[in-house]
Amino acid sequence: MKKHSRILSLLSLSLSLLIFSLLSKTSKAYCNSHDKKVLFRIKEALGNPYVLASWTNDHDCCNWYCLECDPNTHRVNNLFITNSDITGPIPAAVGDLPYLEILEFHKNSNLTGGIPKEITKLTRLRMLWLSWNNLTGPVPSFISQLKNLEYVNLAFNQFTRPIPSELSSLPKLGYLGLDRNKLTGQIPESFGNFNATDFYLILSHNQLTGPIPRSLFNVKFAKIDFSRNHLVGDAYMLFRNNSPSDLSVDLSRNNFTYDFSKTDIPTRLVNLDVNHNKIYGSIPQQLANNELQFLNVSYNRLCGQIPTGGTGRLQEFDEYSYFHNKCLCGAPLPACK
Ligand SMILES: *[C@@H]1O[C@H](CO)[C@@H](O)[C@H](O)[C@H]1NC(C)=O
Ligand SMILES: *[C@@H]1O[C@H](CO)[C@@H](O)[C@H](O)[C@H]1NC(C)=O
Ligand SMILES: *[C@@H]1O[C@H](CO)[C@@H](O)[C@H](O)[C@H]1NC(C)=O
Ligand SMILES: *[C@@H]1O[C@H](CO)[C@@H](O)[C@H](O)[C@H]1NC(C)=O
Ligand SMILES: *[C@@H]1O[C@H](CO)[C@@H](O)[C@H](O)[C@H]1NC(C)=O
C-alpha cells in the first residue's frame, strides 16, 4: 500500500511536471521583441486598419493574423496583407523585418505609392508579391539587389516607364510577372541571362514596343505571355527546341510580322496563342506532331493547308482557332481549292 502510494505520488509529480512544461511552452513569448516593435510601427503607418486588429499586446505576435514566424528562429518570415482596406503607401518599416522571406501585399486597391527603397534590406527575401494594388512609379532597379528572390509578381498595378534591365541579375529568379501595368520601352536585352530551368516571363497588357531581343533564345522558358503590347518583328527566339518542360506561349494582339513556316516548333510546345498579329506563311508541318492543348492563330495573314496527321490535334480545334487569315484552308476550315 505504502509502495503504491509512493509510485502514485511519483507519477502525479511527473505528470504535473509534464503539464507544467507543456503550459510554459504555449505561454512562452516566442515573438521577437524587435520584430514586434516593427510590426506595431507598420500597423501605425497603415492607420491601424481593421485587418490588423489581432496585432495587440494580448497575443504573442507570432500568432497574429497576416504573418508567420520561422518555427526555429521565431522571427517573422512571412508578411501577407491581402484583400484589405489598407490605404497609403507600403510602410518603409517592412524593411526592418530582416528575416522576411515572403512579402505579400495583394488585392489592396487603396495601397498606393512606389515600392519603398527600404526593402533592399530584406536580403533573405524569396518572394516579392505585390499584385492587384494601385502602386505607381517605375519598377525599381533596386529590386535586383535582393539576390535570393525566386518570385517577383507586380501584376495589376499602375507601374510606368521601361522595365529595368538589372532584374536579369537575379540569379534565382524563376517567375517575373509585370503584366497589367503601363510599362513602356523594349524588353531588355539582358533578359537573355535568366538562368532558371522553367522560367515564367509574364509581360502582357502593357505598352511595350520594339522587337523581342535575340538573346531570349538562351532562356529555358516554361511560360511566355507578351500579349497585348505593341511588339514587332520576329519571335523565332522564343521557340528553342530543347525546352526541358512544357512550353506555353501567348503573343496575341501585338504587331508581330514573321514567316510562321520558318519557325522551329519545340516538341514540348503545348499552348500557342498568336491571334491578332501580322504573321504570314503557312502553319509548319511540325506543329501537327505536338500534344497541343490550345491553339489560336486567328486574325493573321496565314495561307495554305492546315497540316494533318501527327497527333491529329490540329483538326480537333474549331474554326475559331484559325479564322480571319489570308488563305488558310483544310479542316476545320473549308477544303482547299
Ligand atoms: C478605398 O478608398 C475609398 C475612398 O476613401 C473608399 O471609398 C473605398 O471603400 C476604399 N476601398 C477599399 C477596398 O477599402
Ligand atoms: C485602383 O484605384 C481605382 C480608383 O482609384 C480603382 O477603380 C481600381 O479598381 C484600383 N485598381 C485595383 C487593381 O485595385
Ligand atoms: C547563371 O548560372 C551560371 C552558372 O551557374 C552563373 O555563372 C551565372 O552567374 C548565372 N547568371 C546569373 C544572371 O545569375
Ligand atoms: C500595329 O501597327 C499599326 C500600324 O503602325 C498601328 O496602327 C497599330 O496600333 C499597331 N497595333 C498594335 C497592337 O500595336
Ligand atoms: C481566338 O482568338 C479570336 C480573336 O480574339 C477569338 O475570337 C476566338 O474565339 C479565339 N479562339 C479560341 C479557340 O480561343
Side-chain angles (χ1 to χ4, degrees):
M1 195 61 204
K2 218 175 180 183
K3 203 174 175 186
H4 275 136
S5 69
R6 197 181 299 149
I7 290 175
L8 268 178
S9 67
L10 267 178
L11 261 177
S12 72
L13 177 68
S14 55
L15 198 66
S16 51
L17 271 176
L18 181 73
I19 289 170
F20 177 76
S21 73
L22 278 177
L23 274 178
S24 62
K25 200 164 210 163
T26 48
S27 63
K28 183 171 182 275
Y30 275 131
C31 182
N32 177 277
S33 62
H34 166 84
D35 289 355
K36 187 174 184 176
K37 277 186 207 136
V38 173
L39 291 166
F40 277 133
R41 275 165 55 210
I42 292 172
K43 182 179 176 182
E44 196 187 344
L46 291 171
N48 300 308
Y50 178 72
V51 68
L52 304 183
S54 69
W55 292 20
T56 68
N57 267 319
D58 301 345
H59 306 283
D60 187 314
C61 83
C62 289
N63 291 326
W64 292 355
Y65 289 165
C66 304
L67 62 84
E68 277 173 14
C69 292
D70 180 284
N72 298 315
T73 62
H74 311 305
R75 302 298 300 257
V76 175
N77 65 354
N78 183 350
L79 181 66
F80 50 97
I81 303 181
T82 61
N83 285 300
S84 83
D85 57 352
I86 56 170
T87 301
I90 296 174
V94 298
D96 295 325
L97 293 171
Y99 284 72
L100 268 193
E101 293 175 31
I102 299 175
L103 179 62
E104 178 183 353
F105 285 88
H106 172 69
K107 285 209 170 171
N108 308 291
S109 57
N110 283 344
L111 190 68
T112 52
I115 298 179
K117 182 88 201 271
E118 287 78 2
I119 67 159
T120 54
K121 292 186 275 183
L122 303 174
T123 54
R124 287 178 169 82
L125 206 63
R126 292 186 291 111
M127 289 178 78
L128 180 62
W129 191 338
L130 305 175
S131 52
W132 293 78
N133 301 297
N134 253 322
L135 301 174
T136 52
V139 173
S141 58
F142 59 67
I143 291 175
S144 64
Q145 295 172 30
L146 298 168
K147 298 298 183 198
N148 283 309
L149 280 175
E150 297 162 13
Y151 178 96
V152 173
N153 187 346
L154 308 180
F156 284 90
N157 281 289
Q158 315 275 355
F159 290 114
T160 49
R161 307 236 277 273
I163 301 171
S165 60
E166 292 89 343
L167 295 180
S168 67
S169 69
L170 289 168
K172 300 179 181 173
L173 198 65
Y175 184 106
L176 179 60
L178 303 177
D179 44 309
R180 305 258 181 179
N181 280 290
K182 297 172 174 169
L183 302 173
T184 54
Q186 303 200 11
I187 299 171
E189 179 81 34
S190 65
F191 276 20
N193 296 331
F194 284 122
N195 253 354
T197 43
D198 295 312
F199 200 82
Y200 281 64
L201 184 56
I202 317 295
L203 304 177
S204 60
H205 286 86
N206 279 292
Q207 294 152 26
L208 301 175
T209 52
I212 301 174
R214 285 171 181 218
S215 59
L216 294 204
F217 192 73
N218 298 318
V219 184
K220 299 178 194 79
F221 285 112
K223 185 171 167 131
I224 297 163
D225 188 351
F226 293 169
S227 63
R228 292 185 190 253
N229 280 288
H230 307 296
L231 300 169
V232 298
D234 206 336
Y236 71 92
M237 66 294 279
L238 303 180
F239 299 94
R240 51 182 279 156
N241 209 6
N242 53 354
S243 168
S245 53
D246 285 352
L247 177 63
S248 296
V249 179
D250 188 347
L251 305 178
S252 62
R253 294 180 190 261
N254 280 282
N255 258 332
F256 288 111
T257 320
Y258 61 89
D259 185 343
F260 200 16
S261 61
K262 293 193 175 138
T263 307
D264 272 337
I265 301 295
T267 45
R268 312 238 1 219
L269 181 68
V270 290
N271 295 297
L272 179 64
D273 193 344
V274 294
N275 84 73
H276 281 98
N277 280 287
K278 293 170 182 159
I279 301 169
Y280 57 92
S282 56
I283 298 179
Q285 177 66 40
Q286 269 172 289
L287 200 59
N289 299 327
N290 279 42
E291 299 284 349
L292 280 178
Q293 289 155 19
F294 181 86
L295 178 72
N296 197 336
V297 300
S298 68
Y299 290 91
N300 277 291
R301 296 175 178 173
L302 297 168
C303 243
Q305 179 160 16
I306 297 169
T308 55
T311 58
R313 289 284 168 87
L314 293 183
Q315 277 65 47
E316 286 169 18
F317 302 109
D318 64 23
E319 63 186 289
Y320 300 107
S321 288
Y322 299 101
F323 71 159
H324 285 277
N325 271 289
K326 198 168 151 204
C327 42
L328 267 187
C329 57
L333 295 179
C336 300
K337 290 187 181 118

